[in-house]
Structures are given as structure tokens and as C-alpha cells.
Amino acid sequence: MLAAIARLLAAASSGLIVAGCATQVDFAPVPGQPALRVQQRLLLTPSNGGLRITPEDLRPGDIVLSSTHSVVSMGVRLITLAPVSHAALYLGDGTFVEAVGAGVRTRSTQEYMDGESTIVAFRHPGIAEPQVDALNAFSRLHVGKKYNTAGIVLQAPFSIGRQYCELPLIPGLVRDFCIRGLAAVQLGALKNDRFFCSQFVLEAYRHARLPLTTADPRLISPADLLHMREGDVPSVRTEQALLYVGHLKSGPVAVEAEVASRQPD
């Protein structure tokens, strides 16, 4: 078994290095599943096996990742090598909460659908009414707070530098340690009560005592949340894989490259 995995790694390594994707080796693979998993930089779409959903399919607490055709969104996607650039929470009753340049705000379902070009939802399998109540309380407390501009400015060079930690065949624990260590140096220790989009999602879930990861929320991007989905390879250690719920909206197939992925039951 180990010899077979070694041959697989040797055959795949050159292509993976060029791709620059994090990997995970399973030394006891499930029959029919690959021993070497590669981080999915692309996005499942309804045209290749993904699920088309409507806002009525959302549940309070769902994590919604999205992108637009704006220059800012394209820049974030380019830096993080991911098809999403924004993260928000669905609170229920047709309300989304998010941290944007104007600060933490809520948007109606219609406003959110009109404003984004791609919208995909994920769900924590352990979410229940007490956690939903805590997410709502956290959101009400912080609506109107200012945007973490300093944090997002530091994210750009950090997102580029951390790619060295995510080279193929680097063990997950080493990758996690490398990213967290680099964050401690580049992002510093200074914290405030401001948020950028993915940081807000992480802090809300932490407040609800359902942390997605023990990593500093300031180092987590929408791309990191995407890779926390079930079947993917997360860049940092996660407490619980997220379930893919489906797409409320998807861009052109030419823009959203297609890959296969397992849907939740």
C-alpha cells in the first residue's frame, strides 16, 4: 500500500507543484476514493453535478460565498486562486448579514441576489436553534460596526506569501503551522472590533460556540471557507467540514470552471 502511494505521489508531484495546490494523503484510503487528494481550486456548478437551489432552501446559519464581476472581486479571486471573493451569513427571514466596505450591514434576499453574480451556500451540520440564536445576537450587536480596512490590506501580501506553505505534498500539520506562523508575523497581534467579510463569519460562529477552526479569523479568507467543504483539502485545520447546500446563482460555465464533487445526502 505504501509503495503504491509513493508511486502515485511521484507521478503527480510535478504537475501539482505547477498548480500550487495543497494536498492531503490518506494512507488508508476508502475503496474507490483517491489516496492523494488535491485542494479544489475550482467550483462545482449546477451544470456539472451541482445543485440549483432557491432562497427557500436556505436555513438560518448557512454560510454563503459569492463573487461579482467587479474589479475588486476579480482581484481577490486572483490573489487567493479561488472562484469566490465574499462571505456572508444567512440569518433567516430573508436576511443576510455581511461585513463590507461600508461596515457590517444586513441585506434582503432580493438585494443579495441582485448584487452577486455567483452565490453558493454551505451548512455546518451541527447548527441548531441555540447556535442560530447566538449568530443573530452577535449580528445585531455588530451591525453598523466599521470595516476592518487594515486587516484586509494586510491580507493581500499574506495571501501571496502563504502559498509557499501550501505547496503540494507538504503535510497538513506542517502546512497549518506554517500558515499560522506566517500570519503571526505578517498580520501582527493588534486586534480591534472591526471585521472583514470572512472574519465576521468566523467570529460569529466562534461566538455561537461552534468554531469552524481554531485559527485566527483574521487569516481566513472566503477561499479558506470554500476549502472547508466536505471532500476538499482545507488549508488550516478545521473543526468540522461544511456541507454543500447548492447554488442560488452561478456565473457562466466559462468563468466557473467545472469539477466533480460529492453532494451531501
Side-chain angles (χ1 to χ4, degrees):
M1 175 63 72
L2 292 179
I5 292 176
R7 289 194 296 271
L8 175 63
L9 297 183
S13 59
S14 59
L16 292 174
I17 289 172
V18 173
C21 296
T23 58
Q24 180 173 310
V25 178
D26 186 354
F27 289 98
V30 176
Q33 298 294 325
L36 176 65
R37 285 195 289 147
V38 180
Q39 190 173 77
Q40 300 174 25
R41 298 284 179 142
L42 307 176
L43 188 61
L44 180 72
T45 68
S47 64
N48 68 359
L51 185 64
R52 175 73 67 185
I53 62 173
T54 67
E56 287 71 30
D57 296 306
L58 294 176
R59 297 180 188 171
D62 282 351
I63 296 170
V64 181
L65 305 180
S66 61
S67 65
T68 70
H69 296 307
S70 71
V71 173
V72 172
S73 177
M74 289 188 286
V76 172
R77 284 179 278 154
L78 179 63
I79 291 174
T80 60
L81 302 177
V84 293
S85 60
H86 185 56
L89 282 175
Y90 180 67
L91 297 178
D93 297 325
T95 302
F96 293 81
V97 62
E98 60 187 349
V100 296
V104 179
R105 68 177 185 182
T106 59
R107 270 202 287 177
S108 70
T109 297
Q110 191 61 57
E111 289 174 322
Y112 204 89
M113 293 290 289
D114 290 344
E116 309 296 310
S117 58
T118 296
I119 308 173
V120 57
F122 296 90
R123 182 172 297 150
H124 192 297
I127 192 76
E129 188 174 348
Q131 288 80 34
V132 169
D133 291 342
L135 292 174
N136 273 275
F138 182 87
S139 299
R140 288 194 300 269
L141 180 65
H142 291 91
V143 164
K145 291 287 182 68
K146 293 184 177 180
Y147 188 66
N148 187 4
T149 304
I152 204 66
V153 167
L154 291 174
Q155 267 279 336
F158 170 68
S159 294
I160 295 172
R162 62 178 277 181
Q163 292 180 26
Y164 291 100
C165 302
E166 299 178 86
L167 290 174
L169 309 186
I170 292 179
L173 288 177
V174 176
R175 180 173 63 245
D176 180 87
F177 180 80
C178 177
I179 291 175
R180 295 186 195 220
L182 185 64
V185 173
Q186 292 197 351
L187 302 182
L190 182 62
K191 298 183 180 181
N192 53 45
D193 62 350
R194 300 182 181 187
F195 307 96
F196 52 81
C197 65
S198 48
Q199 179 190 8
F200 181 83
V201 171
L202 267 289
E203 291 286 11
Y205 263 84
R206 178 176 292 184
H207 175 80
R209 298 189 178 183
L210 204 64
L212 303 178
T213 176
T214 59
D216 188 331
R218 295 178 303 152
L219 72 82
I220 302 298
S221 69
D224 289 307
L225 288 172
L226 177 66
H227 298 316
M228 290 180 187
R229 59 188 163 173
E230 187 179 49
D232 205 344
V233 179
S235 296
V236 296
R237 282 179 293 169
T238 58
E239 300 298 301
Q240 173 64 57
L242 300 173
L243 302 178
Y244 168 70
V245 178
H247 279 72
L248 290 98
K249 199 172 181 180
S250 58
V253 173
V255 176
E256 291 184 6
E258 301 179 2
V259 293
S261 177
R262 185 177 64 181
Q263 294 183 31
D265 295 334

